[in-house]
C-alpha cells in the first residue's frame, strides 16, 4: 500500500519526476516541438522505430529514450495542440477518431471510429473516458482457473511494479480498491456528480459495493497539470490537461530525451531482410510521399486493428501470408468487451453531462461465480453520454421523429451506467485485409465479430444488474442498449509460436528484432478498461530491452559469428 | 431563436435556456465552431438539386422538424458526405456512406411515388412519416440493402447533425460547451446559474 501521509506524497512526487518528468514539461506547444525536438534522417539507422504514438508506443519511447536510445515514432495522425485543435463539443471532436475506411461484418458487427479508435499523438487515450483499473490476478490464467480463454505467458506479479509506476505517472485517483489484488491509489477520489451519486446510492440500496475511481485524472498538485474543472467532455480530449493521455504523460519526457515524434506519417509496411530475417525499418507515407526509416529494432504499436493490418500488408516471400503469420494467428482472437448501457429516469435532475463520465465503478461481479450459468464476469461503471450519444441511445430503442425529439427533452432526468463484459477470445473474430483500398493504395481492414454463448449470457446478467441498481436508486423507468467497448487482441502473446504472435516480452517469435507493444498482444481482456495494462506491458518490455542492452535482442547470425572469429 | 416544438412533444420545458448567450465563456476554438453552426449554412454540393429536396425532407422527418426556424440538416449532412467524413467504419453489406445516401433518397422517392403518386419532397408530412415508418419496420432487405443497417446510418447522421446545434441543446436543457469555466455545482438536483430548471419535471418520457 502506498503511503498517504504528506511526506510520503512529496517523496512519491520526487520519484515520479525522476522517472518521468512529463508533467513538469507542460505545456508542450508547437514551437517547442518544431524547434527543440530532435529530428533524424531516413538514412540514420535509429535504435528503435515505433509505429503508433498511443498508450503502448509512447510509453516504450519514453522509457527507452531515457536509456539513451535514438528513437523515431511514426504517428499516422497529427501532433495535437489541445488549445487550438480540441473543442468542448461532441460533433466537433470527430477528427480525434480513426475515421479512415474500415469494413465491419460478422453476426455482431462492431462499430469502430469514435467507439474505440483514436489517431494522433496520444492515441485513443486522447478520447478514452479515463478509467484506469488494473487487471485481476485471475485474468492471467483464465484457462487454468475457468477452462475458458487463454493463460498469459506472464503473471500478475510480473506486471505489478509497472502498474504501480503507471498509476503514479498518469496519475490515478480513486478510493482504496478492494477487488483483484487490493491496492490504493496515489491521488484521492474526485467529487462525484449526479450520475455517480445515483450509482453509489443504488448500489448501496441493493447491497452491491461500488467505489469512486479509478480515474486517470490528477486530483491535487502534479507538475504543471491543471486541476479538473468537471466539465464532462473527457471523451472529446481534455483541454484542461487534467485527464491523462500519453500526449501529456509520456511524450514530453520522450522528446526531452531525444525522441522524434514524426506525426502525419502512416506506416504501410515493415521491411524484413530476407537474408538475415531481421526487420530493417518501416516504409511510411508522409504528405503523399513514400519514405523509409531505417532502424535496428522495430516496434509496432498501432492497436488491435492497424497492427494486424500492417503485419498482413507486410508479406514477403518468407512470409507469404503476412509478417509473423506462419501459424495463421495474426488478426485472430480480436476482442471487444460487451458494453450494454442502461439509462434510468429520475424525477430529480441528474444532469449527467456534469463531472467526468468516469466516476464510480464496481468490480464485484468481475470473477467467475460458480452459481452462474457463465464463466468470468463484468464490471459496472458510470458513463455519461452527451446529447448526440444519448440520442443514439434513445434512437436504438426504435424511437425517431417527434417521439425521439420528445424523449430527448427529458435528457437532464436520466442517469446512465455501462458494463464491461469479458467476452472470450475466439479465433473467428479477426482482422483481415479487404479488397477496398485506402487513399494510399493500402487494403483497408475488414473486421469480423460474432459473440459466443457465454458472451450473450454475460451481457444479459450485466444488464439485469444495472437495471436493478438504477431501480434501487429510485429510477421509475430504465432502458438498455447493447453496445461494445474497447479493442484488444489480434496478435496475442503466448508461451510458444504455435499459440501466439509474440512472447511475454512482446517480441515476435518470427522476427527477433520486431516487437508489438500495444493492446493487440492481450490474450484475454478481463472486465477492465485496457489502457493501464497496455502501458504497463509496454513499460515492462522497455525494461527488458534496456536490461538486455541494445545489442542483446539480436540473435547472432551465422555471418556475424564468422566475422568475429 | 427557439425551435418550434409543440408542448405535447416536449417543447418549452426549459424556458430561457440560451446556450449561445454563454459564448463569452467559451474558448476560441469551440466558440468559432459553434457560431459557424448558427451562421450561413454551407452550400449544398454533394447532392444534386432533386436529391437535396428529398434528403432535406427525410432528415427533417427523422428528427421531427416541422416549421421555421429549423436546423439546416441537409446542408450539414451534405457537407459531411462531400468531405467523406464517415464514422470510421461501414457495414460490409452496404456501400460507402455517400452511395448509401444517394440510393436512399432515390428509393425513398420511389416508395413515395408508388404509395401516394407524389415525390417524397412534396408528400404531406403524414405521408412522409408513413413512408419512413415502412422502412423502419422492415426486417429484411429494402431495395437490395439491409433495412436495419440503412436505418441505423440515417439516424446516426440525422442525430449528429441535429444535436450538434445550440437550439437543440436549449430544447433539452443542455448548456453546451463548458471550457474553460467548467461546473461547480455537481450532484442530483443542483444547477449552475446558467442552467434552467425543467418546468415540467414530472413529464414522463
Amino acid at each position: 500500500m502506498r503511503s498517504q501521509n504528506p511526506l510520503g506524497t512529496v517523496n512519491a512526487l520526487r520519484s515520479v519526476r525522476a522517472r518521468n518528468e512529463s508533467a513538469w514539461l507542460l505545456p508542450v506547444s508547437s514551437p517547442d516541438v518544431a524547434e527543440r525536438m530532435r529530428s533524424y534522417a531516413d538514412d540514420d539507422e535509429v535504435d528503435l522505430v515505433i509505429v503508433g504514438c498511443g498508450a503502448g508506443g509512447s510509453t516504450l519511447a519514453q522509457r527507452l529514450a531515457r536509456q539513451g536510445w535514438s528513437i523515431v515514432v511514426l504517428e499516422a495522425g497529427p501532433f495535437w495542440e489541445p488549445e487550438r485543435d480540441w473543442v468542448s463539443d461532441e460533433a466537433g471532436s470527430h477528427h480525434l477518431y480513426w475515421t479512415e475506411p474500415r469494413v465491419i461484418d460478422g453476426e455482431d458487427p462492431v462499430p469502430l471510429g469514435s467507439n474505440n479508435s483514436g489517431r494522433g499523438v496520444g492515441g485513443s487515450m486522447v478520447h478514452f473516458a479515463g478509467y484506469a483499473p488494473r487487471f485481476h490476478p485471475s485474468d492471467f490464467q483464465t484457462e487454468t482457473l475457468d477452462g475458458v480463454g487463454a493463460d498469459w505467458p506472464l503473471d500478475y506479479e510480473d506486471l505489478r511494479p509497472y502498474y504501480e509506476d503507471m498509476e503514479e505517472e498518469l496519475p490515478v485517483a480513486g478510493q482504496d480498491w478492494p477487488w483483484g489484488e487490493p491496492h490504493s491509489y496515489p491521488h484521492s477520489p474526485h467529487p462525484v456528480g449526479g450520475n455517480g451519486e445515483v450509482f453509489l446510492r443504488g448500489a448501496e440500496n441493493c447491497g452491491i459495493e461500488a467505489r469512486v475511481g479509478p480515474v486517470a485524472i490528477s486530483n491535487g498538485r502534479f507538475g504543471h497539470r491543471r486541476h479538473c474543472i468537471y466539465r464532462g467532455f473527457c471523451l472529446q480530449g481534455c483541454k484542461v490537461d487534467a485527464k491523462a493521455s500519453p500526449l501529456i504523460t509520456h511524450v514530453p519526457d520522450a522528446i526531452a530525451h531525444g525522441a522524434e515524434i514524426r506525426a502525419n506519417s502512416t506506416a504501410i509496411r515493415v521491411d524484413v531482410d530476407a537474408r538475415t530475417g531481421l526487420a530493417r525499418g518501416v516504409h511510411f507515407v508522409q504528405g503523399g510521399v513514400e519514405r523509409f526509416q531505417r532502424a535496428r529494432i522495430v516496434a509496432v504499436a498501432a492497436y488491435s486493428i492497424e497492427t494486424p493490418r500492417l503485419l498482413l500488408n507486410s508479406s514477403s516471400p518468407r512470409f507469404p501470408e503476412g509478417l509473423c503469420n506462419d501459424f495463421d494467428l495474426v488478426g485472430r482472437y480480436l476482442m471487444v468487451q460487451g458494453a450494454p448501457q442502461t439509462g434510468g429516469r429520475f424525477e430529480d435532475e441528474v444532469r449527467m453531462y456534469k463531472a467526468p463520465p468516469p466516476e464510480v465503478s464496481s468490480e464485484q461481479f468481475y470473477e467467475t461465480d460458480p452459481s452462474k450459468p457463465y464463466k468470468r464476469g463484468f464490471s459496472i461503471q458510470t458513463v455519461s453520454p452527451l446529447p448526440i450519444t444519448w440520442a443514439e441511445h434513445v434512437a436504438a430503442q426504435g424511437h425517431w421523429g417527434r417521439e425521439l425529439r420528445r424523449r430527448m427533452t427529458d435528457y437532464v432526468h436520466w442517469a446512465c451506467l455501462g458494463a464491461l463484459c469479458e467476452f472470450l477470445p475466439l479465433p473467428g473474430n479477426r482482422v483481415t485485409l479487404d479488397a477496398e483500398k485506402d487513399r494510399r493504395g493500402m487494403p483497408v481492414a475488414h473486421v469480423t465479430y460474432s459473440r459466443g454463448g457465454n458472451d450473450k449470457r454475460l451481457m444479459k446478467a450485466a444488464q439485469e444488474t444495472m437495471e436493478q441498481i438504477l431501480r434501487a436508486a429510485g429510477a421509475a423507468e430504465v432502458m438498455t442498449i447493447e453496445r461494445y467497448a474497447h479493442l484488444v487482441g489480434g496478435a496475442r502473446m503466448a508461451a510458444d509460436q504455435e499459440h501466439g504472435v509474440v512472447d511475454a516480452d512482446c517480441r515476435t517469435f518470427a522476427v527477433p528484432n520486431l516487437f508489438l507493444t500495444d493492446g493487440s498482444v492481450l490474450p484475454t481482456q478481463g472486465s477492465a478498461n485496457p489502457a493501464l495494462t497496455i502501458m504497463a506491458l509496454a513499460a515492462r518490455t522497455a525494461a527488458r530491452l534496456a536490461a538486455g542492452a541494445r545489442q542483446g535482442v539480436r540473435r547472432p547470425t551465422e555471418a556475424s559469428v564468422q566475422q568475429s572469429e | 431563436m427557439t425551435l418550434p416544438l409543440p408542448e405535447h412533444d416536449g417543447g418549452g420545458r426549459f424556458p430561457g435556456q440560451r446556450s449561445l448567450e454563454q459564448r463569452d465563456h467559451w474558448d476560441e476554438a469551440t466558440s468559432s465552431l459553434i457560431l459557424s453552426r448558427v451562421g450561413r449554412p454551407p452550400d449544398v454540393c454533394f447532392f444534386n438539386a432533386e436529391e437535396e429536396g428529398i434528403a432535406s425532407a427525410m432528415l427533417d422527418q427523422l428528427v421531427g422538424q416541422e416549421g421555421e426556424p429549423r436546423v439546416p440538416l441537409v446542408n450539414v449532412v451534405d457537407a459531411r458526405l462531400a468531405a467523406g467524413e464517415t464514422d470510421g467504419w461501414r457495414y460490409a453489406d452496404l456501400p460507402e456512406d455517400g452511395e448509401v445516401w444517394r440510393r436512399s433518397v432515390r428509393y425513398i422517392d420511389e416508395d413515395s411515388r408508388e404509395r401516394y403518386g407524389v415525390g417524397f419532397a412534396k408528400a404531406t408530412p403524414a405521408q412522409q412519416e408513413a413512408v419512413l415508418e415502412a422502412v423502419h419496420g422492415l426486417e429484411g432487405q429494402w431495395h437490395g440493402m439491409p433495412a436495419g443497417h440503412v436505418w441505423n446510418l440515417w439516424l446516426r447522421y440525422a442525430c449528429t447533425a441535429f444535436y450538434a446545434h445550440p437550439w437543440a441543446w436549449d430544447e433539452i436543457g443542455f448548456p453546451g460547451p463548458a471550457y474553460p469555466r467548467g461546473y461547480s455545482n455537481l450532484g442530483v438536483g443542483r444547477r449552475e446559474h446558467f442552467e434552467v430548471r425543467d418546468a415540467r419535471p414530472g413529464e414522463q418520457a
Side-chain angles (χ1 to χ4, degrees), chain A residues 543-557:
Chain A
R544 307 282 287 180
L545 281 169
R550 273 170 275 177
Q551 295 290 345
V553 300
R554 295 201 173 203
R555 193 183 290 156
T557 62

Side-chain angles (χ1 to χ4, degrees), chain A residues 13-262:
Chain A
L13 273 180
R14 280 204 192 111
S15 85
V16 175
R17 190 171 180 178
R19 185 165 74 239
N20 175 357
E21 199 163 22
S22 292
W24 288 263
L25 295 168
L26 296 171
V28 177
S29 63
S30 65
D32 291 334
V33 172
E35 291 160 22
R36 299 215 319 261
M37 187 165 72
R38 182 151 183 197
S39 121
Y40 291 94
D42 294 1
D43 280 350
D44 291 337
E45 188 184 51
V46 295
D47 290 326
L48 172 66
V49 63
I50 302 170
V51 177
C53 202
S58 304
T59 305
L60 187 71
Q62 185 267 337
R63 289 302 202 257
L64 291 173
R66 282 222 160 210
Q67 296 291 326
W69 290 37
S70 56
I71 294 173
V72 170
V73 187
L74 302 173
E75 167 53 49
F79 200 122
W80 301 116
E81 276 189 65
E83 196 55 38
R84 181 196 66 185
D85 300 337
W86 298 351
V87 289
S88 226
D89 182 73
E90 267 187 295
S93 301
H94 189 264
H95 56 297
L96 297 183
Y97 315 127
W98 186 281
T99 53
E100 296 217 1
R102 285 168 171 174
V103 180
I104 64 171
D105 69 358
E107 282 168 40
D108 305 289
V110 173
L112 305 169
S114 65
N115 193 34
N116 48 26
S117 304
R119 67 189 276 269
V121 176
S124 300
M125 280 180 77
V126 163
H127 65 81
F128 90 138
Y131 282 113
R134 297 183 189 181
F135 278 25
H136 288 198
S138 67
D139 282 319
F140 298 81
Q141 39 182 339
T142 62
E143 191 176 2
T144 299
L145 295 176
D146 298 311
V148 295
D151 289 354
W152 295 41
L154 46 74
D155 292 324
Y156 175 85
E157 288 71 27
D158 295 316
L159 276 192
R160 183 198 291 124
Y162 304 99
Y163 275 143
E164 289 171 350
D165 284 355
M166 283 302 148
E167 284 166 356
E168 287 179 356
E169 289 170 52
L170 292 177
V172 183
Q175 292 182 295
D176 285 351
W177 213 245
W179 298 288
E181 180 187 50
H183 57 278
S184 59
Y185 287 107
H187 281 205
S188 52
H190 286 272
V192 299
N195 205 19
E197 222 179 272
V198 165
F199 185 3
L200 289 171
R201 187 173 72 213
E204 192 181 357
N205 288 349
C206 54
I208 292 171
E209 185 148 11
R211 296 279 171 119
V212 181
V215 180
I217 302 174
S218 49
N219 187 17
R221 200 182 65 162
F222 192 70
H224 301 167
R225 297 262 294 272
R226 288 183 287 168
H227 201 281
C228 179
I229 60 170
Y230 305 103
R231 71 185 176 124
F233 284 87
C234 300
L235 276 66
Q236 285 66 37
C238 184
K239 287 187 86 131
V240 185
D241 282 353
K243 186 195 81 177
S245 88
L247 179 68
I248 57 171
T249 62
H250 288 79
V251 166
D253 194 67
I255 292 173
H257 287 84
E260 178 190 350
I261 312 294
R262 198 175 291 163

Side-chain angles (χ1 to χ4, degrees), chain A residues 83 88-89 94 102 104 112 226 229-230 239 345 349 351 353-354 398 400-401 405 408 410 413 436, chain B residues 13 27 30 37 62 64 85-86 90 92 133 171 173 179 183 185 189 191-192 195-196 198 201 203:
Chain A
E83 196 55 38
S88 226
D89 182 73
H94 189 264
R102 285 168 171 174
I104 64 171
L112 305 169
R226 288 183 287 168
I229 60 170
Y230 305 103
K239 287 187 86 131
R345 205 270 177 188
E349 294 178 6
R351 297 192 182 260
Y353 56 83
K354 292 164 73 168
W400 65 283
R405 195 85 172 275
M408 281 299 292
D410 212 36
H413 293 280
E436 182 182 337
Chain B
R13 290 179 71 168
D27 67 282
T30 303
R37 294 186 188 145
L62 288 173
E85 196 186 295
T86 70
R90 68 169 172 83
E133 184 55 41
E171 157 182 311
Y179 177 80
Y183 300 115
N185 298 322
R191 276 179 298 276
E192 314 296 316
E195 290 174 317
V196 173
D198 180 5
E203 197 153 296

